Every structure is written in C-alpha cells, then in structure tokens.
Amino acid sequence: MPEMPTAAPARRSRKRIAIVAVVLLAAAIALRWVSQPSQVSGILLGQVGKALGLEITASGASEYRLRGTPMLVVRDLVARQPGAAAPLLRAERVYLALPWRTIRAAGDLLEVERVELDAPQLDVAALQAWLATRPPSTGPMRIPTLSKGLSIVSGQAIGAGWSIERLSLSAPELHPQRPLRARLGGRVLGAGVQVPFDLAATLQRPALARGLGLSGGVEVQAKDWTLPMRIRLGALLHSGDDGLGLDRLRLGADARYRAGDTDLPFVFGLAGPLRYRDAALTLAPLGAALRGKDAIPQLDANGRFAFGEELRLHLDGVLAQWPEAWPALPPPLGQSKSPLPFVLDYAGPGDFSGDSALRLQRDQTRFDGRFRLPAVLDWVDANEGPLLPPLSGRLSTPRIEVSGATLEGVEIEIEDDATPATAVSTPATTPPLQ
C-alpha cells in the first residue's frame, strides 16, 4: 500500500503562491504610484527643499521620463522659507534633465544635462533673508555641470522700489573649471526711468572673485529724454557682509543724449566697487570721466552714487574749460581761462528732474546755486534765450569791473525768472586803474 503524501509540501506550495501574489500586488501598486508624476515630483521637491531649508511645492501638472536621460518637469512651482510671508521663488515651469549616474551618486556628483525656467519670479528681499539663515560654507562652493546649458525666459526680479522685467538668460553650457558665456536681456524699472539692456557676458569661472566681462546695448529712458549707449564692463564678482556686487569695476560707454531735436554724442567712464545691500545699489567711492564735443563738457570727478527708492549722486571734480557751445559766462568768470572746480549734489527721481545743488569756482570767484537739469539742457539747446541759465543762487567775487568802475566784495543774487541779476553787496567802488 503506497504512502500518502504529507501535508507540508502542499502548505509550502500555497505559501509560495501567496508570496508571489503579494509581490505582484505590491508591484502593481508601485507601478500605479510611479505612474503618477505628481507623486514622483513631490518626493523629489521635498528632498530638495529639506536640503535647502525651504518649502517647495508644485501645484501644476508634472511630467517625468525614465528612458534615456531622466527628465522631470514641474509647473506652478513655489519655494518659500518656512514661516515667510512672501515666496522666495515662483516659476510657471521648471525643466530638469540629469543622467542616471547623477541619480545613483545621490548628491556626490553634480552633473546635470539641462535646466530651463519659464516665467520665474524672484523676490530679492526674501532671497537675502533666506541666505542670511544658511550656515557658513566650510569649503569651496560646489558648482554643477550643465552639459546642455541653462535657459531662463520671461523672468522677473523684484526689489524695493525697482524691478527687472522680461529677464532672459541663455548659456550653452556651465562647467566649474571653464569660462561661462551667456546672453542677458531684460528691462530695469525704477525711480522714474526704465533701462532695457541686451548684453553678452563672459565669466572667467563660475565662482566668486573671478573676472566678469559685459558688453552690449543699454538705454536709459526717461519721460523727455533717452540715453542709448554701448558699454564695456570689467569687474570681479563679490559677496560679503557688505552685500553682493562687483569689485574693481571699470565701465566705459559710447553714448548719445537725445531729447527732441537734440542729439549729443559723448563717451564716459566709471570706476569703483559696486554693491547691492539694504535695497540700494551703490557705487562708492567712484571715479568718473566725461569727454565730448560742442555742448558736452570735459570733466573728471570723484564721488559716490546710490540708486534705491530715489537716486543720489555726489560729484567733486574739475571742468577743464567752459564749453564754447554754451553761452558765455559773465565776468569775471568768463574772463579767466583757469579750470573750474565744481561740486554737484543730487537727490531725487532717476530722470534727474529734481533739484541739483552746484558749487562752481574759478580763481577767487564762486557760485553756489540750485537748478533742474531738464531746464538747463533746454537752455543749452536753445538758439535764443536769456543770457543766464535757468538757475538760482549766489555769485561772490572779490572784484568786478562794470562800465569803467571797479566793484569790490561783490555778491550777486541770481533768480530763476529770466530777470536781470542785481548786485546786492558792493562795499567799495574805485575808478579803474590808469
């Protein structure tokens, strides 16, 4: 009589079948979960946000691809510092393509194929607040490699009293040890002016204290005048407790001042350290040089510049000579050929429509007054008009000859009303010397 099979093999067979069924069910659930791009993007954005100390979400439709070079697209991205009222960054679309070796390296390898941002909006104040919370770096900054480059379109950066609109940036590649070449475009808005720009940029290496070069077209556009120019800029990137900016800045420009029928070409240069901190852009101390013909003076000056909610400018320099195209200076200023030291101070809208304070001196004759640049430029451009420019102030001189008489200790008040100036102090009068 043959032996009956034991129950143990049957139980083992049923157990194997159950395990296989559970594995297949888990695989089906995993495939279902992986097939939802929002699940994958949520995990990835969560990991990135945790590493950066940010809350990063994407409420729009997401896409990803695993074949070939893995790719992820997220839409309606928002990144904010935890507890902050304003997001640091928004973007309608973010595209990221990175090879499998980067994924397997789990952060040890920073090789990316391409990054694209559509309509990003950067809040500069929120960015600076987040940067202030980041721990200090103990080593050199790690720069990723972008083998197929970077693209930003329709971007916006928002500061206090200014913004950059229609910002675009394109770079064919990015490598930590190679020069970075890019194209920048956009328009700066603020303080009564707008400044469209289209520039070619070259960075010696993508790191701080490395050389930066910019060249291309910039145009300052105010209500009644424009200033198109071709610029060339060289500097070193800077980041420190005094803000972000440029060291050893050297800027040269071929420019034209245009207002109505006026078209005045000239060249100018600026030098100094450029900083952005506390919602203000500053260049201090600065050196400036201006060269031109006809109505454009030749001057050299030192001073400082600040641009935030308003524009502030201080220049202390020398006019080499009074331009021949300007109406002649009254005596005794016009009788001397000496250079004219000057001090100029301005605080107001970025189109220079506010009041400027001017101190002008030649030999022992001195003028202290105030004027508005648009009115003075109209006076310079006019074929006919009053002898004196539209300004107000006080002229003082130790001696002046008028109609055969010598006036000593003269002070003249000048009013901006096209009426003749009068001598208000003439302590002594002597006949002319024979």
Side-chain angles (χ1 to χ4, degrees), residues 203-381:
L203 185 60
Q204 184 184 26
R205 272 175 47 193
L208 295 175
R210 294 295 179 177
L212 170 68
L214 296 174
S215 64
V218 177
E219 182 170 359
V220 183
Q221 299 174 348
K223 179 181 179 181
D224 299 317
W225 56 269
T226 63
L227 189 68
M229 66 188 86
R230 302 292 298 181
I231 71 161
R232 300 164 301 281
L233 179 149
L236 301 177
L237 291 182
H238 172 89
S239 177
D241 294 338
D242 57 349
L244 302 173
L246 300 173
D247 284 333
R248 303 182 191 177
L249 179 145
R250 297 291 185 273
L251 182 146
D254 297 300
R256 307 186 78 93
Y257 171 81
R258 290 173 176 165
D261 296 331
T262 302
D263 189 344
L264 301 175
F266 62 95
V267 297
F268 72 91
L270 296 174
L274 183 72
R275 295 290 184 270
Y276 181 81
R277 184 186 180 191
D278 298 331
L281 185 72
T282 61
L283 184 61
L286 72 83
L290 176 65
R291 300 291 185 269
K293 298 179 180 180
D294 300 326
I296 299 297
Q298 177 177 317
L299 66 83
D300 297 279
N302 297 310
R304 56 186 179 271
F305 166 90
F307 182 76
E309 294 185 357
E310 65 175 8
L311 188 150
R312 292 181 174 269
L313 178 66
H314 170 80
L315 291 177
D316 187 340
V318 176
L319 279 170
Q321 59 186 4
W322 188 258
E324 293 183 1
W326 293 9
L329 287 171
L333 284 173
Q335 294 172 334
S336 173
K337 299 299 182 183
S338 300
L340 289 87
F342 72 91
V343 176
L344 173 69
D345 285 287
Y346 176 81
D351 60 358
F352 286 95
S353 60
D355 287 338
S356 296
L358 174 67
R359 184 172 75 235
L360 189 66
Q361 186 169 344
R362 172 172 269 174
D363 302 326
Q364 298 183 57
T365 301
R366 173 169 164 167
F367 171 77
D368 288 278
R370 305 187 70 83
F371 68 93
R372 292 195 172 188
L373 183 62
V376 172
L377 291 173
D378 290 341
W379 170 78
V380 170
D381 190 45

Side-chain angles (χ1 to χ4, degrees), residues 106-191:
D108 293 332
L109 184 64
L110 295 181
E111 292 185 5
V112 179
E113 186 174 273
R114 184 168 175 81
V115 174
E116 298 177 359
L117 287 86
D118 293 353
Q121 298 178 17
L122 177 67
D123 187 306
V124 177
L127 171 65
Q128 292 183 313
W130 170 70
L131 289 174
T133 67
R134 304 301 296 160
S137 176
T138 58
M141 183 172 58
R142 298 182 67 194
I143 302 294
T145 297
L146 304 180
S147 59
K148 293 189 178 180
L150 168 69
S151 172
I152 296 175
V153 296
S154 302
Q156 182 184 46
I158 303 171
W162 63 271
S163 65
I164 303 177
E165 309 289 338
R166 300 200 297 249
L167 178 64
S168 65
L169 184 151
S170 61
E173 68 169 355
L174 172 64
H175 192 282
Q177 303 301 324
R178 298 176 190 166
L180 170 64
R181 294 179 174 84
R183 194 81 195 182
L184 292 168
R187 181 181 62 175
V188 181
L189 303 177

Side-chain angles (χ1 to χ4, degrees), residues 30-113:
L31 288 173
R32 172 69 177 175
W33 180 82
V34 169
S35 67
Q36 303 297 317
S38 60
Q39 302 286 353
V40 177
S41 64
I43 292 294
L44 292 177
L45 295 178
Q47 292 296 321
V48 173
K50 183 178 179 180
L52 296 176
L54 294 172
E55 296 174 350
I56 305 178
T57 60
S59 59
S62 301
E63 305 171 29
Y64 75 93
R65 180 190 66 214
L66 299 179
R67 296 189 306 274
T69 300
M71 173 273 292
L72 174 68
V73 174
V74 296
R75 292 180 173 83
D76 300 329
L77 179 138
V78 177
R80 74 173 71 234
Q81 189 178 353
L88 183 156
L89 176 69
R90 296 178 181 270
E92 289 185 4
R93 173 182 171 271
V94 178
Y95 169 94
L96 177 67
L98 65 167
W100 279 108
R101 59 180 176 274
T102 301
I103 297 174
R104 290 192 291 265
D108 293 332
L109 184 64
L110 295 181
E111 292 185 5
V112 179
E113 186 174 273

